[in-house]
Amino acid sequence: DQQVKQNSPSLSVQEGRISILNCDYTNSMFDYFLWYKKYPAEGPTFLISISSIKDKNEDGRFTVFLNKSAKHLSLHIVPSQPGDSAVYFCGAKVGAQKLVFGQGTRLTINP
Amino acid sequence: GAGVSQSPSNKVTEKGKDVELRCDPISGHTALYWYRQSLGQGLEFLIYFQGNSAPDKSGLPSDRFSAERTGGSVSTLTIQRTQQEDSAVYLCASGGGAGLHNEQFFGPGTRLTVL
């Protein structure tokens, strides 16, 4: 039972444009959401998070939007840079319970 | 400060052998996770330790897999009678502290290859 889904396995965006990565979830009890970025041969690194009491959180070029009614969150990167090319995982959790991840989306930024 | 460390970084073993993978979390972190990533796949949850609570073992794929966390710090993931399908990168993450919602910090992973 995949509670967190990233339906796009890959995404290709031109440098300077906006990258939008999507994530859907099924558990309405999730109260905290996180995005991680992973380069090859490295562990994932934390990018940005959002609590369920908010609908938007912004950090520099990265913004996460949460639509609780649709059980959907998205990560916007603008402007996209070549160094943003990586696999992005969204994760969700309920309180102190385990963090569950989606399958990941491979983002490629083309020069 | 030191991050999450894992050892070994690479492990090649023969089918049927047992392996132990080690995770040293960030000092003071109460939460510790094990995940694995098979080739081309996402992050598969394996087991979760939170403080002194009973671990959440719901992600362990079979009884050949077990993990322990000694003294609330170092954790060892043991795979008995390894199979080729166990080949993957095994990732450990730690998190927690005073707040309820904290990001998890991942180690670099152990790449396990079962021949």
Side-chain angles (χ1 to χ4, degrees):
Chain A
D1 177 26
Q2 190 75 29
Q3 296 188 70
V4 180
K5 296 181 181 180
Q6 293 175 258
N7 293 316
S8 298
S10 63
L11 176 67
S12 187
V13 174
Q14 193 159 5
E15 182 179 358
R17 299 289 183 100
I18 183 171
S19 296
I20 300 176
L21 297 110
N22 294 302
C23 181
D24 296 294
Y25 60 95
T26 57
N27 188 348
S28 58
M29 298 297 291
F30 285 142
D31 60 3
Y32 200 65
F33 304 87
L34 305 93
W35 282 95
Y36 281 78
K37 172 180 176 180
K38 186 180 185 300
Y39 292 120
E42 295 182 11
T45 55
F46 170 75
L47 200 55
I48 193 169
S49 62
I50 188 168
S51 167
S52 60
I53 63 174
K54 295 186 176 181
D55 55 18
K56 177 182 175 182
N57 189 25
E58 192 172 352
D59 184 2
R61 296 186 298 113
F62 303 91
T63 302
V64 56
F65 294 93
L66 176 63
N67 182 334
K68 289 188 290 293
S69 60
K71 297 193 182 69
H72 177 85
L73 70 157
S74 60
L75 174 68
H76 293 211
I77 306 172
V78 56
S80 300
Q81 298 175 355
D84 296 330
S85 294
V87 177
Y88 290 78
F89 292 96
C90 70
K93 61 190 311 218
V94 179
Q97 295 180 23
K98 64 177 182 277
L99 173 63
V100 293
F101 285 100
Q103 307 94 309
T105 296
R106 181 177 301 278
L107 176 64
T108 302
I109 306 302
N110 302 308
Chain B
V4 178
S5 61
Q6 293 185 244
S7 61
S9 55
N10 281 283
K11 176 71 177 178
V12 180
T13 190
E14 294 180 348
K15 178 182 173 181
K17 298 286 180 100
D18 297 352
V19 295
E20 283 190 354
L21 311 179
R22 177 186 169 107
C23 172
D24 285 85
I26 293 171
S27 179
H29 277 187
T30 58
L32 188 147
Y33 294 83
W34 283 97
Y35 295 88
R36 73 175 175 182
Q37 186 177 24
S38 303
L39 189 63
Q41 302 299 308
L43 295 173
E44 178 187 3
F45 165 78
L46 297 177
I47 189 168
Y48 168 47
F49 297 89
Q50 174 59 269
N52 295 321
S53 302
D56 181 343
K57 304 179 182 180
S58 60
L60 295 178
S62 77
D63 58 8
R64 296 186 296 106
F65 288 72
S66 63
E68 61 178 24
R69 188 178 185 192
T70 54
S73 180
V74 172
S75 178
T76 303
L77 177 69
T78 301
I79 309 173
Q80 296 178 308
R81 305 181 301 282
T82 52
Q83 304 294 313
Q84 288 183 331
E85 60 263 29
D86 300 334
S87 296
V89 175
Y90 288 81
L91 292 158
C92 174
S94 74
L100 179 62
H101 287 309
N102 294 279
E103 69 262 25
Q104 278 66 46
F105 295 85
F106 280 83
T110 293
R111 180 174 296 277
L112 175 66
T113 303
V114 181
L115 302 176

